[in-house]
Amino acid sequence: MMNRCVKILPLVAIFFTLSANADVQLKDNSEILGKWNLHDEAVSLTSPKKAVTQEWEFKADGTLISSASDVAGRISALKIALKYSIENGEIRKQSSPGREKYESCKVVEKEGSNMILKCTYFFFLTKK
């Protein structure tokens, strides 16, 4: 009996780990509309975070306004308008302005005013 429990335990742990990290499926853009502070990015959820200072504003018309301050001081602020949509519960956003290349961003976690997106990197956002 004890042997059987020891064999099943790792499978149970894996199941709960996977279910705890299930992606959030967005129904439409109403769940993300507004201004968000993008404050950290990371290669993975467990890797060290790199601090960033950006604002993302999801507009109802399918426009994502990305605003950033230039830390090198060449210009005071940079604003970029990108297209986005919600498809299959994910955010599909333009990779760069003027190009029709898109990337999918999964909402890994959305709780209260905090959201974690998995695009090329993990982005940690807080709603303003």
Side-chain angles (χ1 to χ4, degrees), residues 92-107:
R92 184 169 144 72
K93 72 174 194 67
Q94 210 173 5
S95 298
S96 59
R99 298 185 58 206
E100 288 304 310
K101 184 178 179 188
Y102 286 80
E103 69 176 330
S104 290
C105 299
K106 294 179 182 181
V107 179

Side-chain angles (χ1 to χ4, degrees), residues 13-71:
I14 289 170
F15 172 77
F16 282 111
T17 301
L18 292 175
S19 59
N21 290 327
D23 296 331
V24 176
Q25 295 290 307
L26 298 174
K27 294 176 199 76
D28 56 42
N29 68 350
S30 68
E31 299 178 71
I32 59 168
L33 288 178
K35 294 182 179 182
W36 296 80
N37 284 328
L38 171 55
H39 49 82
D40 290 297
E41 66 182 22
V43 175
S44 72
L45 284 174
T46 56
S47 66
K49 294 177 186 176
K50 177 186 169 200
V52 292
T53 306
Q54 263 188 13
E55 179 183 276
W56 282 9
E57 181 178 3
F58 291 96
K59 295 188 164 215
D61 67 357
T63 304
L64 166 59
I65 307 294
S66 175
S67 306
S69 299
D70 185 0
V71 292

